[in-house]
């Protein structure tokens, strides 16, 4: 039985963490998970919230 070759991709921002695991041979997603620090109650609102801005954002999602 051949071992699967996998690749791990991470994306970390001020408001979220995303993880993707791909099968290298087939390019199929084996696992994917995204956590939003602000919206996920398990993370207790960790991250940047509206009360943390010195200047309010001009549009939703913009961080000054």
């Amino acid at each position: 039985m051949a071992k699967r070759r996998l690749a791990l991709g991470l994306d970390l921002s001020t408001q979220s963490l995303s993880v993707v695991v791909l099968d290298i041979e087939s390019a199929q997603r084996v696992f994917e998970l995204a956590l939003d620090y602000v919206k996920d109650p398990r993370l207790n609102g960790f991250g940047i919230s509206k009360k943390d801005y010195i200047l309010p954002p001009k549009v939703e999602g913009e961080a000054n």
Side-chain angles (χ1 to χ4, degrees), residues 11-53:
D11 180 27
L12 176 65
S13 74
T14 57
Q15 292 190 341
S16 66
L17 170 67
S18 300
V19 176
V20 177
V21 177
L22 300 175
D23 183 309
I24 293 174
E25 302 300 323
S26 66
Q28 292 182 338
R29 290 182 188 170
V30 176
F31 178 80
E32 182 175 7
L33 178 66
L35 298 174
D36 184 316
Y37 302 137
V38 177
K39 295 179 183 174
D40 192 322
R42 297 173 297 173
L43 302 173
N44 296 322
F46 174 75
I48 296 174
S49 63
K50 289 183 181 181
K51 66 178 177 48
D52 297 322
Y53 289 113

